[in-house]
mmCIF file of all heavy atoms in Angstrom:
data_model
loop_
_atom_site.group_PDB
_atom_site.id
_atom_site.type_symbol
_atom_site.label_atom_id
_atom_site.label_comp_id
_atom_site.label_asym_id
_atom_site.label_seq_id
_atom_site.Cartn_x
_atom_site.Cartn_y
_atom_site.Cartn_z
ATOM 1 N N GLU B 1056 -8.506 -6.694 62.491
ATOM 2 C CA GLU B 1056 -9.138 -5.378 62.351
ATOM 3 C C GLU B 1056 -8.926 -4.543 63.594
ATOM 4 O O GLU B 1056 -9.054 -5.025 64.721
ATOM 5 C CB GLU B 1056 -10.643 -5.547 62.081
ATOM 6 C CG GLU B 1056 -11.397 -4.199 61.932
ATOM 7 C CD GLU B 1056 -12.887 -4.387 61.787
ATOM 8 O OE1 GLU B 1056 -13.355 -4.650 60.650
ATOM 9 O OE2 GLU B 1056 -13.592 -4.305 62.802
ATOM 10 N N MET B 1057 -8.592 -3.284 63.395
ATOM 11 C CA MET B 1057 -8.596 -2.281 64.455
ATOM 12 C C MET B 1057 -9.722 -1.326 64.220
ATOM 13 O O MET B 1057 -9.958 -0.887 63.074
ATOM 14 C CB MET B 1057 -7.254 -1.501 64.494
ATOM 15 C CG MET B 1057 -7.233 -0.362 65.506
ATOM 16 S SD MET B 1057 -5.799 0.759 65.309
ATOM 17 C CE MET B 1057 -4.477 -0.305 65.886
ATOM 18 N N ARG B 1058 -10.463 -0.986 65.294
ATOM 19 C CA ARG B 1058 -11.490 0.042 65.183
ATOM 20 C C ARG B 1058 -11.241 1.074 66.276
ATOM 21 O O ARG B 1058 -10.925 0.720 67.425
ATOM 22 C CB ARG B 1058 -12.885 -0.567 65.349
ATOM 23 C CG ARG B 1058 -13.999 0.472 65.119
ATOM 24 C CD ARG B 1058 -15.367 -0.127 65.186
ATOM 25 N NE ARG B 1058 -16.398 0.854 64.925
ATOM 26 C CZ ARG B 1058 -17.716 0.650 65.026
ATOM 27 N NH1 ARG B 1058 -18.137 -0.572 65.400
ATOM 28 N NH2 ARG B 1058 -18.573 1.615 64.791
ATOM 29 N N VAL B 1059 -11.363 2.335 65.899
ATOM 30 C CA VAL B 1059 -11.124 3.440 66.825
ATOM 31 C C VAL B 1059 -12.363 4.309 66.858
ATOM 32 O O VAL B 1059 -12.865 4.755 65.800
ATOM 33 C CB VAL B 1059 -9.907 4.299 66.362
ATOM 34 C CG1 VAL B 1059 -9.601 5.372 67.409
ATOM 35 C CG2 VAL B 1059 -8.681 3.412 66.127
ATOM 36 N N THR B 1060 -12.870 4.560 68.064
ATOM 37 C CA THR B 1060 -14.051 5.392 68.222
ATOM 38 C C THR B 1060 -13.820 6.417 69.334
ATOM 39 O O THR B 1060 -12.889 6.251 70.160
ATOM 40 C CB THR B 1060 -15.276 4.538 68.589
ATOM 41 O OG1 THR B 1060 -15.019 3.812 69.790
ATOM 42 C CG2 THR B 1060 -15.636 3.565 67.474
ATOM 43 N N SER B 1061 -14.626 7.459 69.337
ATOM 44 C CA SER B 1061 -14.558 8.445 70.411
ATOM 45 C C SER B 1061 -15.892 9.157 70.531
ATOM 46 O O SER B 1061 -16.713 9.166 69.581
ATOM 47 C CB SER B 1061 -13.456 9.478 70.132
ATOM 48 O OG SER B 1061 -13.843 10.375 69.107
ATOM 49 N N ALA B 1062 -16.121 9.765 71.676
ATOM 50 C CA ALA B 1062 -17.345 10.537 71.921
ATOM 51 C C ALA B 1062 -17.419 11.743 70.978
ATOM 52 O O ALA B 1062 -18.518 12.237 70.682
ATOM 53 C CB ALA B 1062 -17.404 10.986 73.378
ATOM 54 N N ALA B 1063 -16.266 12.217 70.507
ATOM 55 C CA ALA B 1063 -16.262 13.382 69.602
ATOM 56 C C ALA B 1063 -16.759 13.017 68.212
ATOM 57 O O ALA B 1063 -17.068 13.931 67.420
ATOM 58 C CB ALA B 1063 -14.858 13.962 69.527
ATOM 59 N N GLY B 1064 -16.816 11.745 67.882
ATOM 60 C CA GLY B 1064 -17.330 11.360 66.568
ATOM 61 C C GLY B 1064 -16.413 10.486 65.739
ATOM 62 O O GLY B 1064 -16.779 10.066 64.642
ATOM 63 N N THR B 1065 -15.226 10.186 66.242
ATOM 64 C CA THR B 1065 -14.307 9.311 65.503
ATOM 65 C C THR B 1065 -14.905 7.917 65.347
ATOM 66 O O THR B 1065 -15.439 7.350 66.311
ATOM 67 C CB THR B 1065 -12.958 9.214 66.230
ATOM 68 O OG1 THR B 1065 -12.338 10.492 66.229
ATOM 69 C CG2 THR B 1065 -12.038 8.199 65.559
ATOM 70 N N ASP B 1066 -14.826 7.377 64.157
ATOM 71 C CA ASP B 1066 -15.196 5.986 63.888
ATOM 72 C C ASP B 1066 -14.391 5.515 62.683
ATOM 73 O O ASP B 1066 -14.774 5.724 61.543
ATOM 74 C CB ASP B 1066 -16.683 5.824 63.622
ATOM 75 C CG ASP B 1066 -17.135 4.365 63.652
ATOM 76 O OD1 ASP B 1066 -16.258 3.488 63.730
ATOM 77 O OD2 ASP B 1066 -18.346 4.115 63.642
ATOM 78 N N LEU B 1067 -13.230 4.935 63.000
ATOM 79 C CA LEU B 1067 -12.250 4.568 61.974
ATOM 80 C C LEU B 1067 -12.026 3.074 62.024
ATOM 81 O O LEU B 1067 -11.868 2.477 63.099
ATOM 82 C CB LEU B 1067 -10.924 5.299 62.258
ATOM 83 C CG LEU B 1067 -9.826 5.178 61.189
ATOM 84 C CD1 LEU B 1067 -10.169 5.999 59.969
ATOM 85 C CD2 LEU B 1067 -8.478 5.618 61.756
ATOM 86 N N VAL B 1068 -11.995 2.440 60.837
ATOM 87 C CA VAL B 1068 -11.755 0.990 60.748
ATOM 88 C C VAL B 1068 -10.505 0.748 59.903
ATOM 89 O O VAL B 1068 -10.386 1.291 58.816
ATOM 90 C CB VAL B 1068 -12.976 0.286 60.144
ATOM 91 C CG1 VAL B 1068 -12.685 -1.211 59.989
ATOM 92 C CG2 VAL B 1068 -14.204 0.485 61.002
ATOM 93 N N ILE B 1069 -9.600 -0.077 60.458
ATOM 94 C CA ILE B 1069 -8.336 -0.391 59.776
ATOM 95 C C ILE B 1069 -8.240 -1.893 59.589
ATOM 96 O O ILE B 1069 -8.307 -2.653 60.566
ATOM 97 C CB ILE B 1069 -7.113 0.122 60.556
ATOM 98 C CG1 ILE B 1069 -7.218 1.622 60.802
ATOM 99 C CG2 ILE B 1069 -5.835 -0.217 59.830
ATOM 100 C CD1 ILE B 1069 -7.505 1.985 62.244
ATOM 101 N N ASP B 1070 -8.085 -2.338 58.366
ATOM 102 C CA ASP B 1070 -7.835 -3.774 58.068
ATOM 103 C C ASP B 1070 -6.345 -4.028 58.312
ATOM 104 O O ASP B 1070 -5.474 -3.479 57.642
ATOM 105 C CB ASP B 1070 -8.195 -4.041 56.607
ATOM 106 C CG ASP B 1070 -8.017 -5.500 56.221
ATOM 107 O OD1 ASP B 1070 -7.428 -6.276 57.036
ATOM 108 O OD2 ASP B 1070 -8.439 -5.875 55.124
ATOM 109 N N LEU B 1071 -6.065 -4.872 59.294
ATOM 110 C CA LEU B 1071 -4.683 -5.162 59.706
ATOM 111 C C LEU B 1071 -4.119 -6.400 59.035
ATOM 112 O O LEU B 1071 -2.969 -6.794 59.350
ATOM 113 C CB LEU B 1071 -4.585 -5.306 61.224
ATOM 114 C CG LEU B 1071 -4.882 -4.084 62.057
ATOM 115 C CD1 LEU B 1071 -4.814 -4.427 63.564
ATOM 116 C CD2 LEU B 1071 -3.916 -2.958 61.750
ATOM 117 N N THR B 1072 -4.858 -6.995 58.121
ATOM 118 C CA THR B 1072 -4.377 -8.220 57.474
ATOM 119 C C THR B 1072 -3.020 -7.968 56.817
ATOM 120 O O THR B 1072 -2.852 -7.086 55.971
ATOM 121 C CB THR B 1072 -5.387 -8.682 56.419
ATOM 122 O OG1 THR B 1072 -6.657 -8.865 57.024
ATOM 123 C CG2 THR B 1072 -4.925 -10.009 55.800
ATOM 124 N N ASP B 1073 -2.044 -8.733 57.233
ATOM 125 C CA ASP B 1073 -0.661 -8.670 56.701
ATOM 126 C C ASP B 1073 0.028 -7.322 56.942
ATOM 127 O O ASP B 1073 1.072 -7.054 56.323
ATOM 128 C CB ASP B 1073 -0.645 -8.970 55.186
ATOM 129 C CG ASP B 1073 -1.133 -10.358 54.858
ATOM 130 O OD1 ASP B 1073 -0.860 -11.269 55.661
ATOM 131 O OD2 ASP B 1073 -1.801 -10.532 53.807
ATOM 132 N N ALA B 1074 -0.506 -6.476 57.817
ATOM 133 C CA ALA B 1074 0.132 -5.198 58.126
ATOM 134 C C ALA B 1074 1.410 -5.431 58.957
ATOM 135 O O ALA B 1074 1.329 -6.089 60.002
ATOM 136 C CB ALA B 1074 -0.814 -4.277 58.865
ATOM 137 N N PRO B 1075 2.546 -4.897 58.546
ATOM 138 C CA PRO B 1075 3.728 -4.964 59.421
ATOM 139 C C PRO B 1075 3.453 -4.218 60.724
ATOM 140 O O PRO B 1075 2.903 -3.109 60.708
ATOM 141 C CB PRO B 1075 4.817 -4.266 58.589
ATOM 142 C CG PRO B 1075 4.327 -4.350 57.186
ATOM 143 C CD PRO B 1075 2.842 -4.262 57.268
ATOM 144 N N CYS B 1076 3.827 -4.812 61.825
ATOM 145 C CA CYS B 1076 3.584 -4.227 63.134
ATOM 146 C C CYS B 1076 4.895 -4.155 63.917
ATOM 147 O O CYS B 1076 5.765 -5.020 63.768
ATOM 148 C CB CYS B 1076 2.543 -5.035 63.921
ATOM 149 S SG CYS B 1076 0.962 -5.188 63.099
ATOM 150 N N GLY B 1077 5.012 -3.165 64.722
ATOM 151 C CA GLY B 1077 6.242 -3.001 65.502
ATOM 152 C C GLY B 1077 6.061 -1.989 66.598
ATOM 153 O O GLY B 1077 4.943 -1.658 67.004
ATOM 154 N N GLY B 1078 7.168 -1.487 67.063
ATOM 155 C CA GLY B 1078 7.165 -0.526 68.172
ATOM 156 C C GLY B 1078 8.443 -0.689 68.949
ATOM 157 O O GLY B 1078 9.351 -1.449 68.580
ATOM 158 N N THR B 1079 8.521 -0.005 70.050
ATOM 159 C CA THR B 1079 9.738 -0.071 70.862
ATOM 160 C C THR B 1079 9.443 0.392 72.276
ATOM 161 O O THR B 1079 8.706 1.359 72.475
ATOM 162 C CB THR B 1079 10.843 0.785 70.281
ATOM 163 O OG1 THR B 1079 11.976 0.785 71.175
ATOM 164 C CG2 THR B 1079 10.412 2.218 70.073
ATOM 165 N N PRO B 1080 10.032 -0.285 73.271
ATOM 166 C CA PRO B 1080 9.987 0.236 74.631
ATOM 167 C C PRO B 1080 11.077 1.248 74.918
ATOM 168 O O PRO B 1080 11.185 1.777 76.015
ATOM 169 C CB PRO B 1080 10.190 -1.031 75.492
ATOM 170 C CG PRO B 1080 11.045 -1.903 74.645
ATOM 171 C CD PRO B 1080 10.652 -1.616 73.218
ATOM 172 N N GLY B 1081 11.941 1.478 73.902
ATOM 173 C CA GLY B 1081 13.075 2.395 74.078
ATOM 174 C C GLY B 1081 14.395 1.687 74.149
ATOM 175 O O GLY B 1081 15.424 2.324 74.389
ATOM 176 N N PHE B 1082 14.402 0.383 73.867
ATOM 177 C CA PHE B 1082 15.652 -0.351 73.899
ATOM 178 C C PHE B 1082 15.515 -1.613 73.065
ATOM 179 O O PHE B 1082 14.403 -2.110 72.798
ATOM 180 C CB PHE B 1082 16.071 -0.723 75.331
ATOM 181 C CG PHE B 1082 15.019 -1.473 76.118
ATOM 182 C CD1 PHE B 1082 14.930 -2.840 76.066
ATOM 183 C CD2 PHE B 1082 14.123 -0.765 76.924
ATOM 184 C CE1 PHE B 1082 13.969 -3.513 76.810
ATOM 185 C CE2 PHE B 1082 13.159 -1.418 77.648
ATOM 186 C CZ PHE B 1082 13.090 -2.811 77.600
ATOM 187 N N GLY B 1083 16.678 -2.101 72.606
ATOM 188 C CA GLY B 1083 16.721 -3.338 71.841
ATOM 189 C C GLY B 1083 18.186 -3.794 71.775
ATOM 190 O O GLY B 1083 19.099 -2.961 71.745
ATOM 191 N N THR B 1084 18.393 -5.108 71.780
ATOM 192 C CA THR B 1084 19.771 -5.614 71.833
ATOM 193 C C THR B 1084 20.082 -6.623 70.719
ATOM 194 O O THR B 1084 21.201 -7.092 70.627
ATOM 195 C CB THR B 1084 20.024 -6.307 73.178
ATOM 196 O OG1 THR B 1084 19.055 -7.358 73.373
ATOM 197 C CG2 THR B 1084 19.934 -5.309 74.343
#
C-alpha cells in the first residue's frame, strides 16, 4: 500500500498489490 498525504488536504490510498513498478535513472544497458 502507498498512502499520500499533505497539509493541503490530500489523503490518497493506493493498493500496490501486483502493480507493475519501474522507473529510470536516465540510463539502461
Side-chain angles (χ1 to χ4, degrees):
E1056 180 184 276
M1057 175 191 289
R1058 185 176 182 187
V1059 185
T1060 58
S1061 74
T1065 295
D1066 193 351
L1067 188 73
V1068 177
I1069 303 108
D1070 182 350
L1071 294 177
T1072 304
D1073 297 325
C1076 302
T1079 174
F1082 54 88
T1084 57

